[in-house]
Amino acid sequence: MTANEPLGPYRVIAAADPAGPVPAAGQFFMLSAGERWGGGEGGRPFLPRAFSMLRREGDELRFMLEDVGPGTNRLATLEPGDGLLVVGPLGAGFTPGDTRRALLVGGGVGVPPLCCLQDELLAHRVETTALVGFRSATHAAAATLLRDPRVATDDGSIGHHGLVTELLERELDGAGGSERTVFACGPPAMLEAVRRLCVERALPAQLALESGMACGFGACFGCVVSLRAGGYVRLCVDGPVLDAHVLAEVPAH
Amino acid sequence: MTANEPLGPYRVIAAADPAGPVPAAGQFFMLSAGERWGGGEGGRPFLPRAFSMLRREGDELRFMLEDVGPGTNRLATLEPGDGLLVVGPLGAGFTPGDTRRALLVGGGVGVPPLCCLQDELLAHRVETTALVGFRSATHAAAATLLRDPRVATDDGSIGHHGLVTELLERELDGAGGSERTVFACGPPAMLEAVRRLCVERALPAQLALESGMACGFGACFGCVVSLRAGGYVRLCVDGPVLDAHVLAEVPAH
Amino acid sequence: MPDFCGLELAHPIVNGSGTFDAIAARRAFGDELDAAFPFSAFVSKTITLAPREGNPPPRLWEAAGGLLNSIGLPNKGLEGYLAEDLPELARLPVPLITNVMGSTVEEVAALVEALGEREEVAAIELNVSCPNVRTGLDLGADAAELGRVLRAVRPLTATPLIVKLTPNTADVASVAAAAEEAGADAVSLINTLRGMAMQPGRAGRPWLGARTGGLSGPAVRHVALAQVAAVASRVAVPVVGMGGVTSGRDALELLHAGATLVAVGTESFRDPAAGRRISGELSELAANRPFVSEV
Amino acid sequence: MPDFCGLELAHPIVNGSGTFDAIAARRAFGDELDAAFPFSAFVSKTITLAPREGNPPPRLWEAAGGLLNSIGLPNKGLEGYLAEDLPELARLPVPLITNVMGSTVEEVAALVEALGEREEVAAIELNVSCPNVRTGLDLGADAAELGRVLRAVRPLTATPLIVKLTPNTADVASVAAAAEEAGADAVSLINTLRGMAMQPGRAGRPWLGARTGGLSGPAVRHVALAQVAAVASRVAVPVVGMGGVTSGRDALELLHAGATLVAVGTESFRDPAAGRRISGELSELAANRPFVSEV
Ligand SMILES: Cc1cc2nc3c(=O)[nH]c(=O)nc-3n(C[C@H](O)[C@H](O)[C@H](O)COP(=O)(O)OP(=O)(O)OC[C@H]3O[C@@H](n4cnc5c(N)ncnc54)[C@H](O)[C@@H]3O)c2cc1C
Ligand SMILES: Cc1cc2nc3c(=O)[nH]c(=O)nc-3n(C[C@H](O)[C@H](O)[C@H](O)COP(=O)(O)OP(=O)(O)OC[C@H]3O[C@@H](n4cnc5c(N)ncnc54)[C@H](O)[C@@H]3O)c2cc1C
Ligand SMILES: Cc1cc2nc3c(=O)[nH]c(=O)nc-3n(C[C@H](O)[C@H](O)[C@H](O)COP(=O)(O)O)c2cc1C
Ligand SMILES: Cc1cc2nc3c(=O)[nH]c(=O)nc-3n(C[C@H](O)[C@H](O)[C@H](O)COP(=O)(O)O)c2cc1C
Ligand code: FES
Ligand code: FES
């Protein structure tokens, strides 16, 4: 752990990773504290926790996290110099591919993989529009990680008063709306709404999902999601980014 | 937790206990961290840990501890303001009783109950001699907690080069040696040596023992030691201070 | 106010047998303890017919999220209990459940008969985690053996009889069903899981004086939930659920799994007032968060 | 260099079935993985005759000191395994042990026969933690049933047969003895302990898609030590010990309890290189600290 700074109600933490391979946007890492992992609520955390890469700067990997339970709490309270176990990069990230204009849609801790992706797209001179939703203006501090974001908040304290998917719908209804590729990451309900919108409109869409993970590298078969065609895929090796059109639905947890 | 200071290789920690009853010398408390108890080596600590009271100053209880495992490690790294669960005072302490001259014999983390006892005896104008053994001069820093201690060290770096029981033997062989009451606390091998010496010489002796404890208040029957007459007693309620003459031996753990 | 075998209890939290000594606790914490007794009924440590010293030390080993113990049921024996402990325990502000164990039908019968006569004893809990002389297995691991013993002792008393099942068996629900059929008024579970620890640095030497012991604490909580749910869905008699409970939320989960009462064991070691805390947390949960009930 | 059923292994640390997917790990970590493969033999996930999707999610619940899983043995079935996975696994730098499960004698026989013919398969591990169609109990909970199945399939192959016992039984040593008598070349244990978790905030609703699951990790380590010691003192065939191993010291304790090999399961999830680390710690312990050996 080389840094741990607040960003609104979130923390941005950094880890030295001089030897690691360069991760792609949408890939993730499994993190755990080097010491005293455990002993929190219910005796947890025990397993490592998954976090999308926010950015790689020099030899440093950055992550943004929200303290929602024993694992994120422990990571959020580590200090620079404390040991951090980092496994990754893992999984299949976004595949920017074509030249259609990219619509990035995110919310809350779904922002990090979009930051990465926006960096990549901008480097390839692909135009992006970023729409991001938060609970409130304080949470919206995380929007500053993106270039030119349009913000929605649940309480209307900043930006659009409502859901980010309303911004998305408006954007898709507007000029060139049918010429977009959607890249989304956020809470399950938001992703499910995005999935429906894009399936209805037959728009290409890539969703970065979450699921409980024990290992992150395909060992446990614990992180599966259902496919529309039947059967399951492991989110940690076949995802976390999946084509919206192959999914049965975005699972609630 | 109100303070945590080094004393040689030991820590002296303090806890606010404004409402608690006043403990007697030789009594102990069960301590555990309010947060993050667990997650150390082997997933431990889980149970609370026993510590003899060092001193009560105003509303503060003081303890001296050595970092020897996951429990003491966690306690040693707590910071003032961190939560500490304190259960006690527990057990039966020393019974100073008569007017025979008191010989206090201790070693290592066995020093704290002797400090308490010396305070009490001095307050009652009973003369005391304190003999204390340590691994080295750095450890002997803990001797400063006592008044007029005579020190032995394993490596001879300060005081007598050898065991504290050699000092004890010399003292008992000297003038008035048979007119003493011995009060001892320290590692098992030392206590066993003290026990033998006192039993051989038919001297009154009170030993503050240690044993693994799960509860400290008589609930688990886990802390038993064997009596010479057969059967067991619970160290946490019938001890930790026991008459040297009732013991079969001082158990190695 | 849970009704358990006809006892009206103030709340659903009792202690696990052998994890709280009300007499020793009174010595340690004084009479205030009785004023704010942590449990709605007190369950005694296991009593046997003859006195027992218990197992040689060491008797404790700390595990990840739990405790391994080989206490070995030290107790004063039936006579000592009746003469010395019962008067003290009768002074408690809550009903008394006396836990007993015997290794033959005759022993169990003698215990049940003697305790059944005492009105201070509100219920008898029969600990069947003891090796059976006939089969070598724990009495409670074998539905047929347990049924045989219960049918013999059940007629000897009108006092409610709780059977404390062993978790060290392939199919605890069948054993519970056999106990119910043989006349048990309630069942309780889980007892400790059989486990072993090694002496650090000494090859192959067990740490515990009795070689093996029993695991308790949060490490066994999910095993307890599975067994309690399996038993509660199989029997009609009330179930006392226990195993690794440290919070009101844990207790609520056992209640939702079908338990009528919840016992707190190892958690009292760190926090002697855990029973009271947990029953408080439980009523708060019930008051503040109407749980969605769907099974 | 442990000799295990005629296999010369570089060190005593293998993986627990279903806790390491060598093919997926190669995809995640590249070919360096094979160069420094963490285990001295690779044990496959359980293969069944027909393909299985596995249980509905959620499949994971984190416990105090452990993990509860209800993966449900997803696999490509025997044919898929032979066609797709076996060629990939044969490229590993270590011997391959294939783990199989069947719910009838015929299924087990078909699996054992087909795999016994493949020289890429160094040994077959038979997972008997599956409900038996005849008894309703797990096949491995019942010594007589297990003996019957083993006697039927043992003659079908010359490949070493390891029986992976279930811990959810009253007397695992008797089951192990029955396996040995019926021709098992080795036994392995423990598999996961049956457990259950509840959905936070939803009364009585189990969290896991399959309602119950299996507990692994440090929470079960002392249960594993007890069962491994009991089995090793009862059978003459080699024992693969596992359950909650996170360090060389833990592994050594299982070896001292009588195991010939030690498997690492859940610990690989946090540290994919755990097998290599633990075998390193083990040789260090052996080199630096001559343990006092006395039983
Ligand atoms: C690919 C991927 C990328 C991610 N990227 C990020 C990121 O960039 N930033 C970020 O903040 N988060 C990210 N997450 C989410 C993050 O991993 C979780 O917030 C974290 O694991 C929560 O751990 P916790 O211990 O703090 O809380 P937990 O209490 O473990 O998790 C909270 C949720 O887990 C469930 N839960 C509760 N108890 C248990 C239990 N005992 N066992 C299993 N589940 C339980 C509940 O559904 C609860 O809502 C990502 C997740 C994935 C899969
Ligand atoms: C009445 C009393 C008073 C005490 N007073 C003091 C005091 O004033 N100051 C002080 O520093 N200490 C005192 N102690 C000792 C102190 O309680 C122990 O040092 C402490 O419990 C060690 O805990 P740990 O987690 O740090 O180390 P642990 O690793 O728990 O303890 C070290 C010892 O415990 C054993 N052990 C190792 N692993 C386990 C396990 N898994 N389960 C059970 N045992 C294990 C071994 O014998 C090892 O040597 C006192 C003890 C008692 C009983
Ligand atoms: C130290 C200790 C002693 C115990 N003694 C008994 C006993 O005498 N009789 C009995 O039926 N159960 C006994 N138990 C089992 C507990 O009552 C309880 O079933 C078990 O500990 C699980 O609950 P827990 O995880 O809350 O501790 C004992 C448990 C412990 C830890
Ligand atoms: C996610 C998961 C999947 C498992 N899958 C299998 C399996 O397919 N076949 C099997 O025999 N055991 C399976 N096991 C059991 C392990 O091989 C091992 O017996 C058990 O986890 C105990 O070891 P551990 O505590 O080191 O994990 C699985 C365990 C886990 C945690
Ligand atoms: S998290 Fe283990 S397979 Fe995906
Ligand atoms: S420590 Fe529990 S009875 Fe003494």
Side-chain angles (χ1 to χ4, degrees):
Chain A
M1 157 95 49
T2 52
N4 182 342
E5 284 142 23
L7 178 67
Y10 305 104
R11 308 289 312 182
V12 173
I13 66 170
D17 184 42
V22 179
Q27 283 196 301
F28 69 98
F29 289 77
M30 297 300 280
L31 305 186
S32 55
E35 306 234 285
R36 245 170 236 302
W37 192 243
E41 190 212 314
R44 299 186 302 137
F46 169 68
L47 299 162
R49 298 296 195 256
F51 297 93
S52 302
M53 197 206 17
L54 167 62
R55 258 165 197 140
R56 188 177 159 111
E57 286 169 18
D59 280 350
E60 251 184 23
L61 295 169
R62 294 185 164 263
F63 305 94
M64 181 186 107
L65 57 88
E66 185 177 5
D67 175 355
V68 298
T72 48
N73 176 263
R74 177 71 184 128
L75 293 170
T77 53
L78 285 178
E79 285 169 25
D82 287 347
L84 189 68
L85 256 79
V86 178
V87 174
L90 298 164
F94 294 107
T95 44
D98 64 28
T99 53
R100 294 165 65 107
R101 190 158 164 197
L103 243 174
L104 315 187
V105 187
V109 295
V111 164
L114 302 179
C115 297
C116 242
L117 177 65
Q118 194 181 46
D119 291 353
E120 250 179 57
L121 291 170
L122 291 176
H124 289 85
R125 291 171 209 283
V126 178
E127 265 186 275
T128 65
T129 307
L131 314 174
V132 279
F134 295 95
R135 264 159 281 171
S136 70
T138 22
H139 291 86
T144 58
L145 295 167
L146 289 159
R147 191 185 290 189
D148 298 331
R150 288 193 355 236
V151 170
T153 52
D154 297 348
D155 63 359
S157 54
I158 197 172
H160 171 69
H161 186 172
L163 301 175
V164 67
T165 45
E166 292 159 11
L167 293 184
L168 171 63
E169 223 172 331
R170 217 181 283 166
E171 189 71 22
L172 295 180
D173 288 341
S178 60
E179 302 296 307
R180 303 288 167 88
T181 301
V182 173
F183 299 91
C185 186
M190 188 207 103
L191 285 186
E192 175 60 9
V194 173
R195 188 191 65 81
R196 283 169 188 265
L197 279 175
C198 296
V199 167
E200 276 164 18
R201 292 162 200 242
L203 276 185
Q206 298 178 25
L207 311 182
L209 273 65
E210 288 189 8
S211 123
M213 291 188 174
C215 70
F217 62 96
C220 74
F221 282 75
C223 60
V224 295
V225 294
S226 304
L227 296 185
R228 179 190 283 258
Y232 300 114
V233 288
R234 282 170 290 181
L235 205 63
C236 71
V237 286
D238 298 315
V241 177
L242 292 175
D243 180 343
H245 299 270
V246 308
L247 282 172
E249 59 165 357
V250 176
H253 49 232
Chain B
M1 154 99 48
T2 51
N4 182 343
E5 284 142 24
L7 177 67
Y10 305 105
R11 309 289 311 182
V12 173
I13 67 172
D17 184 40
V22 179
Q27 284 196 298
F28 68 97
F29 290 76
M30 298 299 281
L31 305 185
S32 56
E35 307 235 285
R36 247 171 235 303
W37 192 244
E41 191 211 314
R44 300 186 301 134
F46 169 69
L47 299 162
R49 298 297 196 256
F51 296 93
S52 301
M53 196 206 16
L54 167 61
R55 258 165 197 144
R56 188 177 159 110
E57 287 169 15
D59 280 350
E60 253 185 21
L61 294 169
R62 294 184 164 264
F63 304 95
M64 180 185 109
L65 57 88
E66 184 175 7
D67 176 353
V68 297
T72 47
N73 178 263
R74 177 72 183 126
L75 293 170
T77 54
L78 286 178
E79 286 170 21
D82 288 346
L84 189 68
L85 257 78
V86 178
V87 174
L90 296 165
F94 293 109
T95 43
D98 65 29
T99 51
R100 292 165 67 106
R101 191 158 164 195
L103 244 173
L104 315 188
V105 187
V109 295
V111 165
L114 302 180
C115 297
C116 244
L117 177 67
Q118 193 180 45
D119 290 352
E120 250 179 58
L121 292 171
L122 292 176
H124 289 85
R125 291 169 209 284
V126 178
E127 264 186 276
T128 65
T129 307
L131 313 174
V132 279
F134 296 95
R135 264 159 282 171
S136 70
T138 23
H139 290 86
T144 59
L145 295 167
L146 289 159
R147 191 184 289 189
D148 298 332
R150 279 171 27 216
V151 170
T153 53
D154 296 348
D155 64 359
S157 53
I158 198 173
H160 171 70
H161 187 173
L163 301 176
V164 67
T165 43
E166 292 159 12
L167 294 184
L168 171 63
E169 224 173 330
R170 215 181 285 166
E171 188 69 24
L172 296 179
D173 288 341
S178 59
E179 302 295 308
R180 301 288 166 89
T181 301
V182 173
F183 300 92
C185 186
M190 188 207 104
L191 285 186
E192 175 61 9
V194 172
R195 188 190 67 79
R196 282 170 190 264
L197 279 175
C198 296
V199 167
E200 278 165 17
R201 291 164 199 241
L203 275 185
Q206 299 179 25
L207 311 182
L209 273 66
E210 287 189 8
S211 122
M213 290 189 175
C215 70
F217 61 96
C220 75
F221 281 76
C223 59
V224 296
V225 294
S226 304
L227 297 186
R228 178 190 284 257
Y232 300 115
V233 288
R234 283 171 289 181
L235 207 61
C236 69
V237 286
D238 298 314
V241 177
L242 291 175
D243 180 343
H245 300 269
V246 307
L247 284 171
E249 60 166 356
V250 176
H253 48 235
Chain C
M1 299 273 280
D3 169 2
F4 175 75
C5 299
L7 306 177
E8 291 262 317
L9 304 180
H11 59 79
I13 306 297
V14 302
N15 65 300
S17 170
T19 64
F20 201 89
D21 180 329
I23 300 172
R26 203 181 261 151
R27 259 168 79 190
F29 304 122
D31 285 328
E32 307 106 84
L33 180 77
D34 289 0
F37 198 69
F39 307 107
S40 66
F42 177 71
V43 183
S44 80
K45 206 170 160 50
T46 294
I47 309 303
T48 51
L49 201 53
R52 286 169 64 112
E53 297 286 6
N55 288 325
R59 294 178 170 182
L60 301 170
W61 177 264
E62 189 180 58
L67 166 66
L68 196 63
N69 86 79
S70 66
I71 306 298
L73 310 179
N75 75 93
K76 300 175 179 168
L78 178 63
E79 265 182 58
Y81 177 77
L82 292 176
E84 295 168 35
D85 292 355
L86 193 55
E88 289 273 313
L89 296 176
R91 281 174 47 211
L92 289 175
V94 298
L96 171 65
I97 300 174
T98 299
N99 180 301
V100 300
M101 191 193 85
S103 49
T104 63
V105 180
E106 292 70 31
E107 272 180 30
V108 177
L111 287 158
V112 166
E113 228 176 346
L115 290 165
E117 278 171 10
R118 305 301 297 247
E119 61 176 21
E120 304 94 313
V121 177
I124 299 172
E125 183 174 57
L126 182 59
N127 176 359
V128 298
S129 294
C130 53
N132 182 261
V133 193
R134 278 165 47 111
T135 63
L137 284 185
D138 277 3
L139 173 58
D142 181 333
E145 271 304 291
L146 180 60
R148 200 179 65 90
V149 172
L150 281 180
R151 272 188 297 276
V153 305
R154 172 67 282 193
L156 303 177
T157 182
T159 304
L161 213 58
I162 311 163
V163 173
K164 178 143 180 199
L165 303 163
T166 170
N168 300 301
T169 184
D171 182 7
V172 70
S174 297
V175 180
E180 177 178 46
E181 212 199 295
D185 299 289
V187 293
S188 56
L189 71 164
I190 65 172
N191 212 318
T192 56
L193 292 180
R194 200 177 300 122
M196 188 176 190
M198 293 295 182
Q199 236 176 85
R202 311 199 89 177
R205 261 280 184 92
W207 168 267
L208 295 173
R211 298 187 63 94
T212 62
L215 186 65
S216 63
V220 310
R221 191 168 82 82
H222 295 292
V223 173
L225 267 170
Q227 297 205 356
V228 167
V231 165
S233 69
R234 185 78 164 272
V235 300
V237 293
V239 173
V240 186
M242 71 193 95
V245 171
T246 67
S247 67
R249 187 179 306 242
D250 294 348
L252 190 63
E253 292 192 354
L254 281 170
L255 293 174
H256 284 155
T260 299
L261 300 183
V262 168
V264 172
T266 308
E267 180 65 5
S268 294
F269 296 163
R270 185 159 115 96
D271 174 8
R276 198 163 57 239
R277 170 175 58 77
I278 291 170
S279 87
E281 288 168 2
L282 197 53
S283 20
E284 247 173 66
L285 281 172
N288 299 343
R289 299 211 210 159
F291 272 71
V292 186
S293 219
E294 26 173 352
V295 188
Chain D
M1 298 273 280
D3 170 1
F4 175 76
C5 299
L7 305 177
E8 291 262 315
L9 304 180
H11 58 80
I13 305 297
V14 303
N15 66 299
S17 170
T19 62
F20 201 89
D21 180 329
I23 298 171
R26 204 182 260 152
R27 259 167 78 190
F29 305 121
D31 284 329
E32 307 106 85
L33 180 78
D34 289 1
F37 199 68
F39 308 107
S40 65
F42 176 72
V43 183
S44 81
K45 207 172 159 46
T46 294
I47 309 302
T48 51
L49 201 54
R52 287 167 64 111
E53 298 286 9
N55 289 324
R59 293 176 171 184
L60 301 170
W61 177 262
E62 189 180 59
L67 167 66
L68 195 64
N69 86 80
S70 66
I71 305 300
L73 310 179
N75 74 94
K76 300 174 179 168
L78 177 63
E79 266 183 56
Y81 176 78
L82 293 177
E84 296 168 35
D85 292 354
L86 193 54
E88 289 273 314
L89 297 176
R91 280 174 47 210
L92 290 175
V94 297
L96 171 65
I97 299 175
T98 299
N99 179 301
V100 301
M101 192 193 84
S103 48
T104 62
V105 179
E106 293 70 29
E107 273 181 32
V108 178
L111 287 157
V112 165
E113 225 174 350
L115 291 165
E117 278 170 11
R118 305 299 298 249
E119 61 176 21
E120 303 94 314
V121 177
I124 300 173
E125 184 174 56
L126 182 59
N127 175 359
V128 297
S129 295
C130 54
N132 182 261
V133 192
R134 277 166 46 111
T135 63
L137 284 185
D138 278 3
L139 174 57
D142 182 332
E145 272 302 292
L146 180 61
R148 200 179 63 91
V149 172
L150 281 180
R151 272 187 298 274
V153 304
R154 172 68 282 193
L156 302 177
T157 183
T159 305
L161 213 58
I162 310 162
V163 174
K164 178 143 179 199
L165 303 163
T166 170
N168 300 301
T169 186
D171 182 8
V172 70
S174 297
V175 180
E180 176 179 48
E181 210 199 297
D185 299 290
V187 292
S188 56
L189 72 162
I190 62 171
N191 211 318
T192 56
L193 292 181
R194 200 177 301 122
M196 188 177 191
M198 293 295 180
Q199 237 177 83
R202 312 200 88 179
R205 261 280 184 90
W207 168 267
L208 295 173
R211 300 189 61 95
T212 61
L215 186 66
S216 63
V220 310
R221 192 168 81 82
H222 295 293
V223 174
L225 267 170
Q227 296 204 357
V228 167
V231 165
S233 69
R234 185 77 163 272
V235 301
V237 293
V239 173
V240 186
M242 71 193 95
V245 171
T246 67
S247 67
R249 188 179 305 241
D250 294 346
L252 191 63
E253 291 192 356
L254 281 170
L255 294 174
H256 283 156
T260 298
L261 299 182
V262 168
V264 172
T266 308
E267 180 65 4
S268 294
F269 296 162
R270 185 160 117 96
D271 173 8
R276 196 163 59 240
R277 170 176 57 78
I278 290 169
S279 86
E281 288 168 1
L282 199 53
S283 19
E284 246 173 68
L285 280 173
N288 299 344
R289 298 213 209 155
F291 272 71
V292 186
S293 221
E294 27 173 351
V295 187

